[in-house]
Amino acid sequence: MGTSTTKVARVEGQAGTKDGVFGLEVHIRLSVEKLTETSYTRLCSTKNILTVNGQFPGPEIHVHKGDTVILNVTNNGNYNVTLHWHGVKQPRNPWSDGPEYITQCPIKPGANFTYEIKFSSEEGTLWWHAHSDWSRATVHGAIIVYPENGTSYPFPNPHAEETIIFAIPISDDPNHSIDSSSYVLEGSWYKGDVMEIIEEALEKGGEPNLSDAFTINGQPGDLYDCSKPGTFRMLVEYGKTYLLRMVNAGMNEELFFSIAQHQLTVVGTDGAYIKPLTVDYLMITPGQTMDVLLEADQSSSHYYMAARAYSSGTGVPFDNTTTTAILQYSGNYTVPSSLSLPYLPYYNDTAAVTNFTRGLRSLASEDHPIAVPKTVDTRVYTTISMSTYPCANNSCDGPNGSRVLASMSNISFVTPSIDILGAYYNQISGVYDTDFPNEPPYFFNFTADEISSDLLTPTFGTKVIVVEYNSSVEIVIQGTNLLSTAENHPMHLHGYNFYLVGSGFGNFNNVTDPNGYNLVDPPEVNTVGIPKNGWTAIRFLADNPGKLIL
């Protein structure tokens, strides 16, 4: 992508120009066990992975607010691929949003596709990733959106910036450390081939295998076998302030993150600024991004950076390992022989998650105003569930030989044979239906400890909701305890940021719960974690025509 260093590709040329156009080319190369294009070794084992331009993570895209990027993707792999620009609103440009069979058909092996990425009001850290099966496990990278020329951050300029992505690790140099333009990654590592893992799960109807490790900057850290030499190190100078650009590109797990003896100040989420929030730890869900200030204000030494899962589900398996990196001060001093782990909340500490997320509030300043819809034209109340579907002779790997499915309002999505946006634009009938319900088909105690098995089986369909242009929309997303597997779950909205106006536990009460909405300074985000056995309310203005996906 453009002019590049080993790990970071900066968008050069017209990078300081509003509405500038950038010529970039990304080559998607497939490397699985059978093709041996690129191999990487972690946790004492070696495997091949799908990469972008041979890099994992993929190259960063650096732009200014309001820029436009033209990016050509050539798929040199053996799987269909699309790319999504997570958090980029793409005003009046849904054709380049990327989710397969929603806004485009996938890019076939040997084919290419040109994306036009239109940045508008976004400012801060976003990311891009494959939007086809689990290929995003290794096909992703950060997007850095700087303020417009002539403007600045709403906080003092940091000494340097570091990108932190939670993702599957790949790095050729076991001694790699970063400077102000390098990656710091956190995420998951699977010893098996990720595409084979998800394909097996889909075939057999069970859940996919757990990851074998979490990672920071592509390295598991020194608590894992065969990993100590590659432990990631972040170099800092005493007295300096650093802007950490954090992305959770992991597949499934929300993560707690902290740095020993250092506080973190969150100043942005999902490409929008918030009131500075100083914390000892943070929790970031898959798909979320955060901008975080770190002051190097401790005695010169080495300090652990660490992350581990937040897993709220009762009896739900999860990767319970801890990934580490080292915050290393420059200068001459005696390096400690051992390091203490920082404080991290316990893996199921929902109170810690709630305390953190409820502290996030929009900056809502004169230079960074917000526009929360005060009235609502369209209201949607939808449930999200893990459901099951019977298999012949109880032959699947789900509960009681069934197939595990996800559903919304008891409808499990059926992928169409062509993209929904193309069908809409070309008036092709029979591809999708416009009768997705504005409320669940059945009302019951969604968060009860025990729920009748009669409610486990969903219907199937390719359904959408149609809303009027410029109408204000409120969606309340209700978590459920079907299969007794309720857990915190992230949801992302394409084409928009939305205002997180409320959340709570139990069943949403449409009479009393709206009284507690924050309509003054709610965070403006594109991804949110729905609390275990709880609900989340979001609002946005439907001013971006095209197909959006939740």
Side-chain angles (χ1 to χ4, degrees):
M1 289 188 182
T3 302
S4 64
T5 62
T6 301
K7 288 290 176 183
V8 179
R10 297 183 178 276
V11 178
E12 304 289 357
Q14 303 177 45
T17 314
K18 184 176 176 62
D19 294 327
V21 177
F22 308 93
L24 305 96
E25 186 166 358
V26 182
H27 295 285
I28 307 291
R29 299 186 181 91
L30 178 64
S31 181
V32 296
E33 291 183 3
K34 296 179 180 179
L35 298 179
T36 64
E37 286 204 15
T38 310
S39 65
Y40 295 89
T41 300
R42 293 292 183 273
L43 306 179
C44 316
S45 64
T46 299
K47 69 170 187 174
N48 302 302
I49 62 167
L50 181 67
T51 64
V52 172
N53 291 349
Q55 300 179 31
F56 180 87
E60 289 183 358
I61 298 176
H62 290 235
V63 298
H64 285 266
K65 180 179 178 179
D67 283 339
T68 297
V69 170
I70 305 297
L71 188 148
N72 181 259
V73 176
T74 301
N75 183 1
N76 290 331
N78 286 349
Y79 290 98
N80 291 341
V81 174
T82 63
L83 294 185
H84 169 55
W85 321 99
H86 193 107
V88 182
K89 300 182 185 73
Q90 296 275 37
R92 296 184 178 272
N93 189 40
W95 307 101
S96 285
D97 190 48
E100 65 175 356
Y101 296 111
I102 305 297
T103 62
Q104 70 174 96
C105 288
I107 308 167
K108 295 180 179 181
N112 67 83
F113 184 87
T114 298
Y115 289 96
E116 181 182 27
I117 312 166
K118 290 186 175 181
F119 295 88
S120 54
S121 61
E122 307 89 355
E123 189 172 324
T125 304
L126 301 171
W127 67 301
W128 60 268
H129 60 84
H131 207 292
S132 38
D133 294 324
W134 270 23
S135 52
R136 72 176 173 88
T138 55
V139 179
H140 61 257
I143 301 174
I144 311 302
V145 185
Y146 297 111
E148 289 181 285
N149 281 343
T151 66
S152 62
Y153 299 125
F155 46 81
N157 283 336
H159 170 69
E161 302 181 8
E162 315 289 356
T163 303
I164 299 181
I165 302 179
F166 301 80
I168 294 176
I170 298 172
S171 175
D172 293 323
D173 181 0
N175 301 309
H176 177 67
S177 60
I178 65 170
D179 57 21
S180 61
S181 61
S182 299
Y183 277 98
V184 188
L185 302 171
E186 299 184 12
S188 309
W189 177 258
Y190 297 80
K191 289 183 178 179
D193 180 272
V194 292
M195 294 298 287
E196 291 181 0
I197 289 173
I198 189 60
E199 287 175 351
E200 180 180 10
L202 292 172
E203 178 184 355
K204 296 183 177 181
E207 294 197 38
N209 294 344
L210 298 177
S211 58
D212 295 291
F214 296 119
T215 65
I216 295 177
N217 201 31
Q219 295 288 348
D222 54 13
L223 301 183
Y224 296 92
D225 292 339
C226 305
S227 301
K228 186 172 183 177
T231 300
F232 171 73
R233 296 172 182 267
M234 175 177 166
L235 306 178
V236 297
E237 296 180 37
Y238 176 80
K240 303 293 186 181
T241 299
Y242 296 82
L243 175 58
L244 308 181
R245 298 184 175 275
M246 305 184 68
V247 180
N248 185 349
M251 298 305 297
N252 291 318
E253 303 286 6
E254 289 96 349
L255 293 171
F256 289 115
F257 172 81
S258 64
I259 302 176
Q261 300 183 40
H262 290 74
Q263 289 191 309
L264 303 167
T265 299
V266 187
V267 293
T269 58
D270 288 357
Y273 294 116
I274 66 168
K275 293 178 173 65
L277 176 66
T278 300
V279 294
D280 295 319
Y281 66 90
L282 56 83
M283 195 284 289
I284 184 168
T285 76
Q288 281 187 326
T289 61
M290 293 182 181
D291 296 307
V292 180
L293 295 177
L294 165 68
E295 292 188 23
D297 57 1
Q298 298 300 303
S299 300
S300 294
S301 187
H302 290 187
Y303 299 89
Y304 262 146
M305 308 164 70
R308 70 180 180 200
Y310 164 56
S311 180
S312 57
T314 302
V316 177
F318 69 98
D319 182 343
N320 64 354
T321 61
T322 300
T323 180
T324 59
I326 295 174
L327 184 72
Q328 179 177 322
Y329 279 72
S330 61
N332 296 318
Y333 52 85
T334 301
V335 177
S337 58
S338 62
L339 303 180
S340 298
L341 286 170
Y343 166 74
L344 287 169
Y346 197 53
Y347 75 89
N348 63 353
D349 192 342
T350 296
V353 173
T354 303
N355 290 338
F356 173 73
T357 56
R358 289 186 175 174
L360 303 174
R361 294 177 177 269
S362 285
L363 185 58
S365 66
E366 181 178 351
D367 291 333
H368 301 281
I370 61 175
V372 186
K374 299 299 195 296
T375 60
V376 175
D377 299 313
T378 300
R379 297 182 187 274
V380 178
Y381 180 50
T382 186
T383 56
I384 55 174
S385 306
M386 290 298 293
S387 306
T388 62
Y389 195 79
C391 293
N393 301 317
N394 298 326
S395 57
C396 291
D397 287 351
N400 300 314
S402 66
R403 176 177 296 278
V404 176
L405 302 169
S407 64
M408 294 183 66
S409 291
N410 204 47
I411 302 169
S412 189
F413 183 76
V414 176
T415 302
S417 58
I418 64 172
D419 61 289
I420 293 177
L421 182 63
Y424 169 79
Y425 185 81
N426 294 298
Q427 299 182 358
I428 301 173
S429 61
V431 177
Y432 64 92
D433 298 313
T434 59
D435 59 348
F436 188 92
N438 280 16
E439 60 182 32
Y442 311 111
F443 279 80
F444 53 93
N445 185 355
F446 298 119
T447 60
D449 290 336
E450 294 185 7
I451 297 177
S452 171
S453 59
D454 294 339
L455 299 168
L456 292 178
T457 304
T459 61
F460 295 88
T462 308
K463 299 181 182 292
V464 304
I465 294 177
V466 179
V467 298
E468 294 294 326
Y469 174 71
N470 258 348
S471 62
S472 56
V473 180
E474 177 179 297
I475 303 177
V476 177
I477 307 167
Q478 174 72 60
T480 69
N481 196 32
L482 291 178
L483 294 178
S484 299
T485 57
E487 59 183 340
N488 199 85
H489 184 75
M491 298 292 286
H492 168 58
L493 184 65
H494 289 228
Y496 294 87
N497 273 14
F498 53 80
Y499 295 102
L500 172 57
V501 298
S503 65
F505 295 96
N507 299 314
F508 176 74
N509 186 310
N510 64 351
V511 175
T512 59
D513 284 329
N515 295 331
Y517 282 1
N518 175 10
L519 301 180
V520 177
D521 59 356
E524 181 184 356
V525 295
N526 61 61
T527 303
V528 63
I530 312 303
K532 173 186 177 180
N533 281 332
W535 56 271
T536 293
I538 67 174
R539 287 186 179 183
F540 61 95
L541 187 68
D543 58 356
N544 189 11
K547 297 295 180 184
L548 59 90
I549 179 174
L550 180 65

